[in-house]
Amino acid sequence: MLDHFQRRKITDIVARWACLGMVFLALVPLASVLYDLTLKGLGGFSWAFFTQLPKPVGETGGGMANAFMGSAILVGLGCAFGIPVGVLGGVYLAEFGNNRFGKIVRFAADVMSGVPSITVGIFVYTMVVLTMHRFSALAGGIALAILMLPTVMRTTEELLRLVPDSLREAGLALGIPKWRVILGVVLRTGAPGIATGIMLAVARAAGETAPLLFTAFGSRFLSLKLDQPMGSLPVQIYTYAVSPYEDWHQQAWAAALALVLLVLVLNVLARVMTRQPGQGR
Amino acid sequence: MNALSSTLAMPRLDLHDSASLLVSDQEAQSPARASQSAKMATENLSAWFGKNKILKEISLPIREKRVTALIGPSGCGKSTYIRCLNRLHEVIPGARMEGRVLLDGQDVYTRAMDPVALRRRVGMVFQRPNPFPTLSIRDNVLAGWKLAGMRPERPDDLVERSLRQAALWDEVKDVLNRSGTSLSGGQQQRLCIARALALEPEVLLMDEPCSALDPIATAKVEELIHQLGEKYTIVIVTHSMQQAARVSHYTAFLYLGDLVECNTTDALFTRPADRRTEDYITGRFG
Ligand SMILES: Nc1ncnc2c1ncn2[C@@H]1O[C@H](COP(=O)(O)OP(=O)(O)O)[C@@H](O)[C@H]1O
Ligand SMILES: [Mg+2]
């Protein structure tokens, strides 16, 4: 017969191994995705892959320079629209949002962050694409901005709330106007954390396919025109993956690997930034 | 423990005798007459947090180029009182006040007085040192200028002068670019004093400036207050009667939101007029 103590010890061991097992189970998809991607994608990495445009259908070779450039522009547009609105919205919520309106906005942002990205795509399609009568990079940028907005806004708010009130009072007591205290003291103190939130939002936006399908659409040419369709990594991966050509499949794998590496780098950057010293937390 | 005798034994008290005796006890007790030489004064100042009335009709003169100490048990409204003087009370949601606060005879709660401008004339040092963590020591000293979008004429001179006045220059002159929060607690508090002095305020409010400091740092800051008292009008909140006796010329005793007594520090500690003051300074409650 086991005594109380031994029973407890066994329970402890079983529970611990169960947790560990589940962790490994959770890691299996991640590890196998990375393994598979590297195996199949790395072979496609070449100078031409990153610098050349797609060859006409049927010819082999060529690269995805249009998609790399397009993704950079689309994400850049998303940031240009999403970051100012998100950060200032977060400032509003943290500094002035202790009222009903603030509560409503906070709730709306939380709901928005749960909206499927394809819904955002269709929304921008009806609002922008149908009005402009064409797919455009602009519409893609707006869709990405909408996706980034709730994350940026809520992280900004959370981080500004962590800034102690004593710093706000120190600023006010020095005769600094409130808006300058918010910009010069509060935002600045929270900046490293906010930058982390932005990085994570960018990483997510960079990998989105659905909102771009209906908005930026895709293009096989290197285009810098914001009112024209534009290629992007996720959309091109999708197009190539469903195509019948072996060469395109290879390129899709390579592009997928490149995208995952990009997201990985953004995430690592975000982590490194939170570790920066002198941040007062 | 007899607090009265220990207060009396404080050697620094003698230093103030000559200064405080220049004004007779009589004059100090009569706010009406005293307000002529007062840099600041409050008249029937009451303050609330929501429905709680924290300060009850406080009338108190604050003498120019003198150190006025506010003593009283914690929670009696000392912080609230000095935060009314630079209009920092009103930034707390639900907080309000009534009555008058005068600076050079002018009501600071009129529309003509911009709280931002007022706070540049009436500086404040808080209980916990609160240097800006993202700014260097040098920029912390200049924060009142730079963050307000202004540039002092000779910033380097101003930094040195302010840090010297705060008795911190020798300790930090070689590390001015280090973060303000890299300093020790006592140094941070003196940095905050330097930051307030860099605006060349007319009045300096100090809310228990030593309560987060160790005894050595406390001694340094007290020495500093004592020196600054010759140039600036200072209001210092303290719950240490010894500290009040060491650094101040005048002392006001607050109890449960009432101003019980105000007098020269010397007189208040040796001849308290009110029973409650006597009980407090002899340590019978509080
Ligand atoms: N932000 C606040 N909100 C509500 N009540 C407060 C707040 N700050 C202080 N009080 C109350 O006001 C009273 C006086 O506080 P305070 O002026 O800080 O006292 P002291 O500085 O003398 O210790 C206390 O009873 C305290 O509970
Ligand atoms: Mg206090």
Side-chain angles (χ1 to χ4, degrees), chain A residues 170 174, chain B residues 130-132 140-141 143-144 190-199:
Chain A
L174 285 170
Chain B
N130 53 3
F132 299 119
N140 259 289
V141 177
R190 279 178 285 150
L191 178 60
C192 292
I193 295 173
R195 180 174 70 183
L197 294 178
L199 288 172

Side-chain angles (χ1 to χ4, degrees), chain B residues 49-50 52 54-55 72-81 83 92-93 127 207-208 237 254:
Chain B
F49 281 113
N52 294 338
I54 304 298
L55 294 177
S74 81
C76 69
K78 307 180 294 294
S79 299
T80 308
Y81 180 79
R83 291 166 60 97
I92 299 173
Q127 188 165 354
D207 191 354
E208 304 195 29
V237 168
L254 289 183

Side-chain angles (χ1 to χ4, degrees), chain A residues 33 43 70 98 103 109 112-113 148 209 220 230-231 259 269 281:
Chain A
V33 162
N98 283 325
K103 253 189 212 148
M112 225 166 102
S113 64
M148 289 170 67
T209 323
R220 299 180 51 76
M230 189 176 277
L259 190 58
L269 268 184
R281 269 205 287 146

